[in-house]
Amino acid sequence: MIDILYFAWVRERIGLPRERLETNAATVADLIAELSAHEDRYAAAFADLSALRVAVDQELSDFNAPLTGVREIAIFPPMTGG
Amino acid sequence: MRIIVQPDPFDMGAEATAFTATAKGAGAIVTFTGITRDNAAGDLQAMEIEHYPGMTERALNDMAHQAMTRWQLIDCLVIHRHGRLLPNDPIMMVATAARHRADAFAAAEFLMDYLKSRAPFWKREITASGTDWVAPRDEDEAALKRW
């Protein structure tokens, strides 16, 4: 099981702040493809990967990151702090 | 080193005074405070800041550790608010203490550049006509390259 968190407009498009899923996806990119194929709201949120950032177990990472042993991933737009 | 992530307002003067009082041996204190700016149309009602609890604190801690390692700092402070802010409200503050000003200025700029694009905060502007997520600025991403 893996926890997936969504923030900002990604959260709004998907309609959930977080969910827990069972997946056989090998990487973050595979998981995104799996979700996008499953439902339109995911396809809409993940349509442009260049507009998304990913964190794996609360560390900034990339779409090729493997999911083996990972507990939590987060998908969100570029950050706008400060 | 202190990292504070909170919804509550803070008093930048009181924070700067307290920070200075404990920065033994410092010859320079640099502080930066970010303020909720009105939008171009001048009709900002509020700014909402969302963050990623847990990762936010980790990311800020990591940035502060890097700053302490890269420059001769005596101490540093990062305060960042989340939740609903009104125009002119302080959003965040960075303070650095060093023996000499060059280290204090450089570390404060480094912390600000990283806070803008690498700490998991997202701003949303609320106006009479609706709400809009603030778009990231290319300049902010480009600013990281100098470090």
Side-chain angles (χ1 to χ4, degrees), chain B residues 41-137:
Chain B
D43 67 348
L44 184 77
Q45 293 176 342
M47 177 91 84
E48 274 180 8
I49 302 180
E50 181 171 332
H51 81 118
Y52 182 173
M55 179 173 166
T56 305
E57 291 79 359
R58 281 171 72 140
L60 296 181
N61 252 303
D62 182 52
M63 287 170 206
H65 271 292
Q66 282 189 53
M68 296 293 291
T69 309
R70 289 183 62 170
W71 290 278
Q72 298 284 316
L73 291 189
I74 291 163
D75 198 7
C76 69
L77 164 72
V78 178
I79 303 173
H80 205 301
R81 294 178 64 191
H82 58 89
R84 194 178 178 89
L85 285 84
L86 299 175
N88 224 37
D89 276 354
I91 300 177
M92 52 74 54
M93 176 174 177
V94 160
T96 54
R99 288 187 61 78
H100 301 287
R101 72 177 186 280
D103 286 311
F105 272 118
E109 288 223 74
F110 165 86
L111 285 169
M112 279 313 306
D113 285 346
Y114 270 82
L115 262 165
K116 282 264 165 204
S117 312
R118 292 291 182 273
F121 290 101
W122 299 273
K123 292 193 186 110
R124 177 160 60 173
E125 290 183 349
I126 297 158
T127 64
S129 49
T131 65
D132 263 320
W133 292 101
V134 171
R137 295 172 357 132

